[in-house]
Every structure is written in structure tokens, then in C-alpha cells.
Amino acid sequence: MNILVKGDIGPMLEIENVSHRYGANKALERVSLRLARGGFHALLGPNGAGKSTLIALITGLLRSQNGEIRVAGHSLSRRPRDVRRHLGVVFQQPTLDLDLSVRQNLLYHASLHGLGRRQARECCERELARQHLEPRANDKVRQLNGGHRRRLEIARALLHEPELLILDEASVGLDTASRQALNEHVRTLCRERGMSVLWTTHLLDEIEPQDPVVVLCAGRVIADSQAQALCTHTGTHTLHEAFGLLTTKPSDTVTEGQS
Ligand SMILES: Nc1ncnc2c1ncn2[C@@H]1O[C@H](COP(=O)(O)OP(=O)(O)OP(=O)(O)O)[C@@H](O)[C@H]1O
């Protein structure tokens, strides 16, 4: 995950030695990772691994207790506004207003971003088109299926055209076909817009062999490598087997280049 493509001016996301406690409960322990600019990256971990806590820290929902988080080179503690400008987030729990239309939800959010009326309209129409939601623009969110609601949340997260999109277990609650369609949709967006995506999940069928993955387990990074390298390292044939081994018997961290 820390391989930089020639010409890059630095990583998209850097996390250095971040720990977090909820009272006596240690949720994250000296977590460090780097995401190169552009491309689809996965953050994997079983339930309770600390994925949502890490995302809450990156997005500023939780206050960082120690360590350093930088987005596009901007320090979250020193330049939170610059960080927010570069960041779009789809949280695990949907936060759409079900009784407003698709377009109204977007316009409301655009106004929260401080966009003027005209610019807000333009941004909304652009995202409705990109997420293939134009035909549903006047429908109430309540009328949409789960997959379309998630697309609307992605549209909302991209209104200000961030370079990094974080999705926290975005496919939870969707049926298999909708999960697959959402995953493919995000990968296409990523390719077409040159964005960086951090996709968190505990569902391994959403990961492709060439994806860079970070695996969190019990609050620690236990692997940071390409998905297929995890199989090579653990001597397994599938990512399911590799993940099972790594998360039940965590040893040294698996990093890029190990096999
Ligand atoms: N508000 C909280 N108060 C106390 N403990 C918490 C709180 N939120 C999370 N935890 C604990 O912190 C640890 C990490 O939880 P977190 O939700 O970040 O993991 P996760 O990988 O996102 O799990 P899931 O996939 O189930 O959402 C767990 O032990 C969890 O019980």
C-alpha cells in the first residue's frame, strides 16, 4: 500500500502511530499505514478490529488521542479544513433524509458545504449523472432500494470533488447482486476520476487479487500488502484461507515484498 507511482507528490493518506482507547478498551494500537494516490485500496478486518474507529479518527468524528493523520499532505490536527476539502465519506450508518427527494438530499448537503444556489445545482446534476441516478432525482429516498441509496450517499460524498473517498462497510445490508454492483461501480468511479478509494469491509469476496490491502485485527495492522501476496505469505490458496490464518494466529506484520 505504500508504493508510490512515479510523478506522485506524496501519499494520499498517511497514518502514523495512531492509537485509540474507549476508556479501558484499547481499540487501536500504534496503527501506521500509507495509501498511494489513486486506485482502490481495501481495509479489511473482522468485527471489532477497529476499522470504524480508524475512519472516525480520519474524518474527525473522534478526536485523535495520539499519532498523526495526514490527507494529501495536510495534517488533520493542524489543517482540518484542508483535510475535509480532500475527503469524501460514506459512513456505515446511512444518514439520508428518507422523506426528501434524491435531488433535495443533495441540494441540502451542498448548502452545508457553503455552495451558492447555482453552483449547488450544477454539482448535484453532475453527480446525479455520474451515479446514474437522474431518472430517480425526484423520487423520495424512501422509494429507493438499498443499492441506489448507497449510490446517493456516494453522490453526496463527491459533491465537493474530493480526491479521497472512504466507504465504511458500504455494502452491508445489500443482497449479493447489489453488493457486487456497488463494488464495481466504485471501482469504475475510481478509474474514471483518478480518485483514491479506501473501501473497508469484512467481506472478502469484495477484494480482487491485485488490490492493495491493509488488514486490521484487534486494533493492530497485521498485514499491509497486495491481496494475492497474503496467500503467498501464508501458503494458502484463497484470500479467505489467508485471512483466517492471519486473524486467528497473528504473527509478524505481513508487508509488501514479503513472501
Ligand atoms: N463507542 C464505543 N465505546 C466503547 N467501545 C467501543 C466503542 N466503539 C467501538 N468500541 C470497541 O472498539 C473496538 C473496535 O470497534 P470498531 O467498531 O472500530 O471495529 P470495526 O472493525 O469497525 O467492527 P465492525 O466491523 O463490527 O463495525 C471494539 O472492541 C469495539 O467494541
Side-chain angles (χ1 to χ4, degrees):
M1 217 166 221
N2 46 9
I3 305 166
L4 290 181
V5 177
K6 208 174 168 189
D8 278 347
I9 48 170
M12 192 68 237
L13 172 68
E14 294 168 277
I15 295 176
E16 271 174 27
N17 276 327
V18 166
S19 302
H20 194 82
R21 282 175 178 276
Y22 297 100
N25 186 4
K26 219 182 241 184
L28 293 175
E29 171 94 44
R30 296 173 68 85
V31 167
S32 295
L33 59 92
R34 282 169 150 220
L35 239 73
R37 288 190 188 234
F40 184 97
H41 307 259
L43 177 63
L44 297 177
N47 291 124
K51 304 181 297 296
S52 296
T53 301
L54 187 59
I55 287 170
L57 288 167
I58 299 169
T59 53
L61 271 184
L62 280 177
R63 219 185 163 80
S64 202
Q65 293 164 344
N66 51 32
E68 176 72 10
I69 296 174
R70 282 186 291 275
V71 174
H74 301 290
S75 157
L76 178 62
S77 54
R78 287 191 292 278
R79 306 189 70 91
R81 275 169 160 239
D82 287 323
V83 166
R84 276 198 290 277
R85 197 160 47 84
H86 286 86
L87 197 61
V89 190
V90 175
F91 290 104
Q92 196 168 354
Q93 299 299 335
T95 55
L96 297 165
D97 188 322
L98 301 183
D99 292 316
L100 290 182
S101 74
V102 166
R103 185 178 275 118
Q104 284 168 332
N105 264 279
L106 289 182
L107 286 172
Y108 174 67
H109 197 75
S111 73
L112 294 183
H113 270 294
L115 299 183
R117 249 191 139 112
R118 190 166 160 194
Q119 198 188 357
R121 284 235 160 245
E122 284 171 8
C123 292
C124 290
E125 297 313 312
R126 180 195 71 218
E127 287 310 323
L128 284 171
R130 280 181 178 158
Q131 312 302 328
H132 311 299
L133 283 171
E134 282 164 312
R136 310 301 305 267
N138 295 318
D139 291 348
K140 291 224 160 76
V141 172
R142 199 176 285 287
Q143 295 168 263
L144 302 186
N145 65 26
H148 281 125
R149 288 183 194 188
R150 278 310 197 188
R151 280 194 190 197
L152 175 54
E153 289 191 284
I154 292 171
R156 190 178 61 177
L158 295 180
L159 277 175
H160 61 299
E161 301 212 81
E163 289 169 63
L164 172 61
L165 175 65
I166 299 183
L167 302 105
D168 188 6
E169 307 253 5
S171 60
V172 161
L174 301 182
D175 59 46
T176 309
S178 310
R179 279 206 299 118
Q180 208 172 350
L182 184 71
N183 188 276
E184 277 165 20
H185 179 66
V186 170
R187 286 176 186 276
T188 306
L189 281 177
C190 190
R191 269 194 309 275
E192 289 179 352
R193 292 169 76 138
M195 283 185 325
S196 311
V197 165
L198 181 61
W199 173 276
T200 85
T201 188
H202 62 276
L203 301 167
L204 302 176
D205 59 350
E206 294 174 352
I207 307 304
E208 292 182 3
Q210 72 282 1
D211 287 338
V213 296
V214 168
V215 184
L216 268 185
C217 185
R220 288 179 51 236
V221 173
I222 57 164
D224 183 350
S225 159
Q226 216 180 31
Q228 64 194 4
L230 296 183
C231 297
T232 316
H233 176 81
T234 51
T236 52
H237 297 292
T238 64
L239 187 57
H240 280 89
E241 288 172 3
F243 186 76
L245 259 181
L246 286 166
T247 53
T248 48
K249 287 193 221 156
S251 55
D252 292 340
T253 309
V254 182
T255 50
E256 202 67 55
Q258 282 188 354
S259 59

